[in-house]
């Protein structure tokens, strides 16, 4: 018997805690992680292709794309951290890398060498081992401990684009260079001399300079380092704003920081090497910029935020760089910035309703692949149910359960029920009834009159799931007490049960 598998059709969201989580594959294709998938999104056709995550792993932790844009490496957390390499043209898996010597359940940062033959993988706590893989042979070439004796966190590893035998790692009070020999990773003389160590949150090599690195700190300092020494300290995007991402491009580099700040730095002949030419703020998104990507033509800049949003900035027009207004737009639409607590599909329309701990209720159209409505509330919602007509929703809040109308541009409550923190509610298939969980009790209401027509009691623990029979004459409930009950709505009595002790 063949096992059918579920394949995603469209994913609304971004996994914002992944290192280097946005990449351009070509002018109109963007790669990013969402849930346990790596998504290739066509900006022209608005469609997605998917690279699924590995079964039995605990999520994606880092992504790297080769300089040729032919391969993507996806690191995932597991009992033994793994890296899977995929061909970006066929989306087929090429290799899986895993070693007992990683010394951690995850890789915090990975990078391809300039020729694409080696992958540098920075392991996480407690060992902080840096490993070089000859990935086509699934073989570890060399390994070294990259942290300091105190075991401080390392955030990022990268190859020198001019010399693939040189690597840099940066972390909390750690900045080190390594030279890769045939079977060993040799640390190079200490960088920055006697300078007081800082929290180096990110770094980037400047491609057309042999050994120039730009370092960004949590205090907003930008250091130009050459030959292991600080050659210049650049003016910060804003005072005290931590630097989270640095991206080189032909005119200089782009910096992303706290508070939704982006700054462009351009080359200059002066002793500072670079000067800040423009600073932008992403309006209404005062959160960290986590990652940056620039299109091959350098006309478009993408940035991902800690709040799981992806924004686009056009760089081609010189007038844009002179203007003071907001020039950012969302890549596709806004996503939930925190965990989703409830989801329900409409029976008669291609709509999905979700609620989240980010205090929003969102209505998505899965046919048009867009957002129909977003409503912000003063508190988070615990559950959501869609009326079959697609015109009403039920939302469970901390204080009350609210019945709401979906209008053209708003979601408006018109009836409230005294059920606190309702964790599960569901409409019947015909829409004439709805069931709502109130602690261990299930309350049945007539939708048209909003009258409580019956209560189902019997569970000894919280009720977690409800399901109506196709003809709406029965209701099945599952609870934390291990009990599954079938209820008859004619007399509100329990008809069948299955209890796991």
């Amino acid at each position: 018997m063949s096992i059918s598998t579920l394949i995603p059709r469209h994913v609304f969201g971004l996994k914002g805690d992944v290192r280097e989580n946005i990449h351009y594959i070509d002018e109109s294709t963007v790669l990013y992680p969402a849930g346990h998938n790596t998504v290739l999104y066509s900006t022209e056709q608005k469609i997605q292709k998917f690279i699924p995550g590995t079964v039995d792993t605990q999520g994606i932790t880092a992504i790297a794309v080769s300089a040729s844009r032919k391969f993507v490496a996806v690191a995932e957390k597991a009992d033994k951290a793994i890296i899977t390499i995929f061909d970006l043209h066929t989306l087929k898996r090429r290799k899986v890398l895993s070693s007992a010597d990683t010394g951690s359940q995850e890789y915090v940062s990975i990078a391809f060498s300039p020729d694409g033959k080696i992958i540098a993988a920075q392991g996480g706590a407690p060992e902080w081992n840096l490993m070089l893989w000859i990935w086509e042979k699934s073989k570890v070439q060399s390994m070294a401990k990259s942290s300091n004796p105190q075991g401080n966190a390392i955030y990022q590893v990268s190859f020198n684009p001019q010399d693939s035998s040189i690597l840099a790692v940066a972390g909390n009070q750690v900045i080190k260079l390594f030279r890769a020999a045939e079977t060993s990773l040799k640390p190079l003389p200490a960088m920055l001399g006697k300078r007081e160590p800082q929290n180096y949150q990110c770094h980037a090599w400047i491609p057309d300079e042999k050994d120039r690195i730009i370092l960004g700190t949590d205090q907003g300092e930008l250091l130009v380092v050459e030959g292991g020494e600080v050659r210049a300290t650049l003016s910060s995007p804003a005072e005290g704003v931590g630097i989270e991402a640095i991206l080189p491009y032909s005119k200089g580099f782009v910096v992303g920081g706290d508070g939704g700040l982006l700054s462009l730095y351009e080359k200059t002949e002066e002793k500072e090497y670079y000067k800040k030419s423009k600073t932008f703020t992403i309006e209404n998104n005062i959160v960290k910029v986590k990652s940056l990507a620039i299109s091959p033509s350098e006309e478009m800049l993408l940035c991902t935020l800690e709040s799981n949003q992806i924004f686009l900035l056009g760089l081609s027009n010189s007038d844009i760089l002179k203007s003071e207004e907001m020039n950012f737009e969302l890549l596709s639409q806004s996503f939930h910035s925190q965990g989703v607590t409830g989801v329900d599909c409409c029976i008669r329309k291609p709509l999905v309703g979700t609620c989240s701990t980010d205090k929003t209720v969102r209505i998505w159209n899965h046919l048009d692949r867009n957002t129909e409505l977003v409503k912000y509330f003063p508190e988070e919602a615990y559950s959501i149910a869609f009326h079959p007509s697609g015109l009403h929703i039920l939302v469970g809040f901390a204080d009350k359960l609210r019945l709401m109308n979906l209008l053209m541009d708003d979601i408006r409550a018109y009836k409230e029920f005294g059920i606190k923190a309702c964790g599960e509610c569901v409409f019947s298939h015909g829409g004439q009834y709805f069931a709502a969980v109130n602690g261990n009790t299930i309350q049945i209401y007539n939708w048209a009159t909003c009258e409580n027509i019956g209560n189902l009691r019997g569970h000894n623990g919280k009720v977690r799931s409800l399901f109506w029979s196709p003809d709406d004459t029965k209701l099945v409930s599952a609870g934390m007490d291990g009990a599954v009950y079938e209820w008859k709505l004619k007399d509100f009595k329990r008809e069948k049960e299955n209890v796991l002790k």
Side-chain angles (χ1 to χ4, degrees):
M1 182 183 157
S2 64
I3 299 170
S4 58
T5 55
L6 285 171
I7 298 166
R9 186 163 173 269
H10 196 84
V11 175
F12 295 105
L14 165 76
K15 189 166 165 42
D17 58 357
V18 175
R19 187 89 212 181
E20 310 286 336
N21 63 10
I22 191 88
H23 299 269
Y24 266 103
I25 304 306
D26 56 44
E27 284 297 332
S28 61
T29 309
V30 177
L31 180 143
Y32 58 89
H36 203 180
N37 296 285
T38 304
V39 176
L40 283 99
Y41 175 69
S42 167
T43 55
E44 287 176 354
Q45 297 167 302
K46 312 290 184 200
I47 58 170
Q48 296 177 340
K49 293 178 183 173
F50 302 95
I51 298 172
T54 309
V55 178
D56 297 332
T57 59
Q58 296 162 43
I60 298 167
T61 57
I63 287 178
V65 172
S66 64
S68 64
R69 295 186 166 96
K70 283 183 182 173
F71 303 106
V72 61
V74 180
E76 292 167 286
K77 188 174 182 178
D79 292 336
K80 263 176 36 180
I82 68 165
I83 299 170
T84 312
I85 295 95
F86 296 91
D87 185 308
L88 280 169
H89 298 297
T90 63
L91 301 190
K92 287 193 172 149
R93 188 168 63 191
R94 287 286 300 266
K95 283 285 184 247
V96 178
L97 313 177
S98 182
S99 168
D101 299 327
T102 308
S104 175
Q105 292 188 334
E106 63 180 333
Y107 290 109
V108 294
S109 176
I110 54 176
F112 277 95
S113 60
D115 61 9
K117 292 178 179 175
I118 306 286
I119 288 178
Q122 176 59 60
E127 298 288 328
W128 301 105
N129 287 330
L130 173 62
M131 307 178 85
L132 288 194
W133 290 87
I134 305 171
W135 68 266
E136 287 186 357
K137 296 180 181 175
S138 302
K139 178 184 162 193
V140 177
Q141 177 185 306
S142 50
M143 190 174 91
K145 282 204 186 320
S146 57
S147 187
N148 57 10
Q150 291 77 39
N152 284 13
I154 303 292
Y155 307 130
Q156 191 185 356
V157 62
S158 65
F159 279 95
N160 182 337
Q162 300 267 3
D163 182 353
S164 58
S165 68
I166 304 288
L167 295 96
V169 294
N172 186 5
Q173 302 189 354
V174 181
I175 176 71
K176 288 182 181 178
L177 291 182
F178 290 89
R179 183 179 291 281
E182 276 188 22
T183 56
S184 63
L185 261 174
K186 293 178 180 168
L188 293 175
M191 287 181 74
L192 311 189
K194 294 178 180 173
R195 188 185 172 94
E196 192 69 30
Q198 289 172 273
N199 189 358
Y200 305 108
Q201 297 194 134
C202 56
H203 70 277
W205 296 86
I206 301 300
D208 50 2
E209 301 289 342
K210 190 163 184 270
D211 63 351
R212 184 179 294 171
I213 298 178
I214 309 295
L215 278 177
T217 75
D218 64 338
Q219 298 301 308
E221 279 194 273
L222 275 169
L223 310 177
V224 182
V225 179
E226 259 183 29
E229 292 181 21
V230 177
R231 303 292 182 186
T233 302
L234 305 177
S235 64
S236 164
E239 202 172 326
V241 169
I243 310 294
E244 292 286 332
I246 302 171
L247 177 73
Y249 75 120
S250 60
K251 293 180 182 174
F253 58 91
V254 189
V255 166
D258 289 354
L261 275 181
L262 271 183
S263 292
L264 301 176
Y265 287 79
E266 295 188 354
K267 283 184 252 186
T268 168
E269 297 301 314
E270 294 164 29
K271 62 175 194 265
E272 283 87 34
Y273 299 99
Y274 303 92
K275 69 173 192 303
K276 183 167 62 179
S277 63
K278 186 72 190 159
T279 295
F280 299 91
T281 306
I282 303 174
E283 223 167 65
N284 303 321
N285 282 272
I286 313 301
V287 292
K288 287 177 182 175
V289 173
K290 293 297 286 181
S291 192
L292 300 165
I294 199 161
S295 63
S297 66
E298 299 195 344
E299 290 186 359
M300 290 293 180
L301 177 73
L302 281 172
C303 63
T304 60
L305 306 185
E306 195 175 40
S307 59
N308 302 326
Q309 310 301 329
I310 308 175
F311 279 93
L312 188 65
L313 174 69
L315 294 178
S316 57
N317 191 342
S318 56
D319 296 337
I320 283 177
L321 304 184
K322 291 172 191 164
S323 73
E324 292 301 321
E325 332 103 47
M326 154 95 176
N327 300 296
F328 289 92
E329 57 184 73
L330 288 156
L331 176 68
S332 50
Q333 63 260 313
S334 70
F335 304 132
H336 279 300
S337 60
Q338 293 176 30
V340 176
T341 52
V343 60
D344 195 25
C345 295
C346 178
I347 294 172
R348 298 176 199 158
K349 291 182 181 176
L351 301 177
V352 178
T354 57
C355 57
S356 164
T357 51
D358 65 10
K359 301 179 181 176
T360 66
V361 170
R362 293 169 191 254
I363 307 300
W364 315 84
N365 186 316
H366 60 77
L367 202 62
D368 297 341
R369 304 181 181 100
N370 63 19
T371 316
E372 296 270 326
L373 284 169
V374 179
K375 174 88 173 187
Y376 289 82
F377 290 92
E379 56 188 325
E380 66 184 73
Y382 296 92
S383 60
I384 187 167
F386 230 125
H387 191 269
S389 67
L391 301 173
H392 319 278
I393 56 170
L394 265 173
V395 184
F397 292 98
D399 58 342
K400 284 185 172 75
L401 177 70
R402 291 182 172 90
L403 191 53
M404 302 175 133
N405 283 329
L406 298 184
L407 308 177
M408 286 292 286
D409 55 1
D410 196 13
I411 301 173
R412 204 169 291 168
Y414 70 90
K415 185 70 181 172
E416 296 182 337
F417 306 90
I419 301 175
K420 293 184 176 180
C422 175
E424 180 73 359
C425 54
V426 62
F427 279 100
S428 62
H429 293 94
Q432 71 275 42
Y433 307 117
F434 65 84
V437 170
N438 191 352
N440 299 357
T441 305
I442 302 154
Q443 295 184 264
I444 311 295
Y445 287 84
N446 180 304
W447 169 71
T449 63
C450 296
E451 180 193 351
N452 181 199
I453 57 170
N455 295 312
L456 310 177
R457 294 186 177 90
H459 280 284
N460 295 322
K462 269 190 180 175
V463 180
R464 293 304 300 268
S465 185
L466 300 172
F467 192 82
W468 290 87
S469 65
D471 61 1
D472 291 340
T473 59
K474 294 171 185 173
L475 185 77
V476 179
S477 63
M480 299 278 281
D481 52 1
V484 177
Y485 295 140
E486 187 180 289
W487 310 85
K488 214 170 174 185
L489 294 195
K490 192 177 177 183
D491 52 10
F492 301 105
K493 292 280 193 309
R494 194 160 71 203
E495 195 172 50
K496 294 178 188 171
E497 61 179 69
N498 187 320
V499 183
L500 288 172
K501 292 294 183 189

